[in-house]
Amino acid sequence: MPAGLGALALGSFGIGLTEFVIAGLLPQVGRSLAVSEAAAGWLISGYALTVAVGAIVVTAATAGLPRKTVLTGLVALFVVGNLLSAIAPNYPLMLLGRVIAALCHGSFFGIGSLVARRMVAPERASRAVAVMFAGLTVANVLGVPFGALVGERWGWRATFWAITCVGVVAAVAIAVLVPGWAGAANRPHSSKDSGTAIGRADGLRTQLRAFRSGQVWLTLAATALGYGGMFGAFSYLAYTFTRVTGFSSTDVAWLLVVYGSGLVIGNMVGGRAADRNRDLALIASLAGLTVTLATFGLLAASPTASVVLVFLTGLFGFASVPGLITRVTDHARGVPLAASANVSASNIGNALGAWLGGFAISVGLGYTAPLYVGAALVLLGLAVMMIAARRSGRSEPDTTDLGLVHDRASAG
């Protein structure tokens, strides 16, 4: 594995910690800053909304710049946001720190996924993306318990100081270990365009043209629906476990670790499968998630079945991630804005799934309802993916002119 991939994985681990750690710290933060539970909740929802918008805005604003430079700058922004959170004397500054940190999230994963796949041979592209996202999946497993442990012993501010340190190390690692040829802006399409931002594949006008592709929109829709289904179920798992299955509230933490372990394994397995047959792997993972969520709803009263099914939810839920990212960027001809739009689509899906799951509970459908809602959303995503696969046929988009190949010679 190229050392540069490890540096990107470290960056994704730090960003993942920032996203997930706050859930375990929310009561402490709320008491410390003297705000209500609803206001404290905006430290989570405000972050998510900023990710959805910032992924597009920041990527568009940095169009044409060398990708390695942008990635290093994004992690620096991440450090500033978490440092502000660590020292924030009041709620508005704490929220500002969360917003600043969130601005780097979507663009880092969008641009970073393109840099990651550039460091390996084309047939290993999805696996390279999976390695980068491994940091995020590990953060999902460790984020909440890490935050709770550090916060309990040294206070919630210590957690953000620790994340700030992770960000500093990640920024240095990316600056040193990501090769310049992998993190350069894409080459011009023709010699007459050489040296101009407009002529680069990263130019904003070129990036916007990529969204004329129906395959890009179909993949984004599949992403939103797939993520929405998984997150719609995940958001209310604690209620399902305690109100339906009969687990105690203290059991929820290790059950979420089981779920997170499924994410880690699914991410790596999905990356390998996507490199063999991407569309088939995506269809299989979405179909597996649909069946898993529906079965979970039926068997939620069984503790043994619930443990197995929550693991499978994580496994199938994240198995589609590497393939969806490489698919949308291939059909968008490698432009970073499409990769970042994929992150935005996933966050929009998360918000939709969580809202629909909560609505189902509020109208009296019970605490297994989010599982069925999630299954329905993923089933729609599966249908979209099957349409996309059928329309694309056997042909794969040509990305050789966009630097999405293992080409060290292009450094010159």
Side-chain angles (χ1 to χ4, degrees), residues 32-400:
S32 175
L33 300 179
V35 295
S36 67
E37 291 84 353
W42 272 101
L43 297 175
I44 296 176
S45 54
Y47 184 97
L49 289 172
T50 304
V51 171
V53 176
I56 301 296
V57 174
V58 174
T59 304
T62 57
L65 296 177
R67 294 174 181 173
K68 180 177 177 178
T69 302
V70 174
L71 287 174
T72 306
L74 290 172
V75 179
L77 191 67
F78 162 84
V79 169
V80 170
N82 282 285
L83 179 60
L84 182 57
S85 294
I87 64 175
N90 53 49
Y91 174 76
L93 285 178
M94 177 68 179
L95 182 59
L96 177 62
R98 293 287 292 168
V99 168
I100 291 173
L103 283 172
C104 81
H105 186 125
S107 294
F108 180 87
F109 285 106
I111 297 171
S113 65
L114 296 175
V115 174
R117 63 183 298 180
R118 214 172 187 183
M119 283 189 272
V120 300
E123 63 272 15
R124 297 178 64 88
S126 293
R127 272 173 281 186
V129 172
V131 169
M132 177 187 166
F133 271 80
L136 179 65
T137 59
V138 172
N140 194 300
V141 177
L142 300 179
V144 175
F146 169 82
L149 177 64
V150 174
E152 184 71 26
R153 180 161 297 189
W154 295 290
W156 65 267
R157 294 183 187 277
T159 303
F160 286 97
W161 277 111
I163 296 173
T164 300
C165 292
V166 172
V168 171
V169 175
V172 173
I174 290 170
V176 173
L177 298 177
V178 172
W181 54 265
N186 276 337
R187 297 185 298 276
H189 284 294
S190 63
S191 59
K192 69 179 181 179
D193 292 326
S194 180
T196 66
I198 294 176
R200 295 183 185 274
D202 281 354
L204 181 57
R205 186 178 301 175
T206 300
Q207 295 199 59
L208 292 174
R209 281 202 299 268
F211 289 90
R212 296 176 183 175
S213 167
Q215 286 291 336
V216 168
W217 288 105
L218 286 169
T219 309
L220 292 176
T223 297
L225 291 166
Y227 269 89
M230 179 178 69
F231 201 78
F234 172 77
S235 298
Y236 303 96
L237 279 180
Y239 292 101
T240 305
F241 285 140
T242 57
R243 305 291 180 85
V244 179
T245 314
F247 285 113
S248 69
S249 58
T250 56
D251 290 323
V252 173
W254 70 262
L255 288 165
L256 293 181
V257 170
V258 172
Y259 168 80
S261 301
L263 294 182
V264 175
I265 296 172
N267 175 57
M268 301 309 296
V269 172
R272 288 180 174 274
D275 280 334
R276 295 190 182 96
N277 188 323
R278 186 166 56 199
D279 283 357
L280 181 60
L282 290 173
I283 289 170
S285 61
L286 291 171
L289 183 56
T290 302
V291 173
T292 297
L293 291 176
T295 306
F296 201 167
L298 292 172
L299 302 180
S302 166
T304 302
S306 293
V307 172
V308 173
L309 289 164
V310 77
F311 172 80
L312 292 177
T313 297
L315 189 149
F316 285 118
F318 229 80
S320 63
V321 171
L324 285 169
I325 290 178
T326 56
R327 191 179 201 280
V328 77
T329 51
D330 279 354
H331 284 286
R333 299 182 61 76
V335 300
L337 193 60
S340 297
N342 197 70
V343 179
S344 293
S346 67
N347 277 270
I348 292 169
N350 290 351
L352 174 65
W355 179 81
L356 288 174
F359 177 78
I361 292 174
S362 69
V363 297
L365 296 180
Y367 290 105
T368 60
L371 294 166
Y372 294 117
V373 169
L377 285 174
V378 180
L379 183 61
L380 289 174
L382 173 61
V384 171
M385 190 62 242
M386 292 178 71
I387 292 171
R390 183 173 181 179
R391 289 186 179 181
S392 67
R394 296 183 178 180
S395 62
E396 285 292 330
D398 179 17
T399 59
T400 56

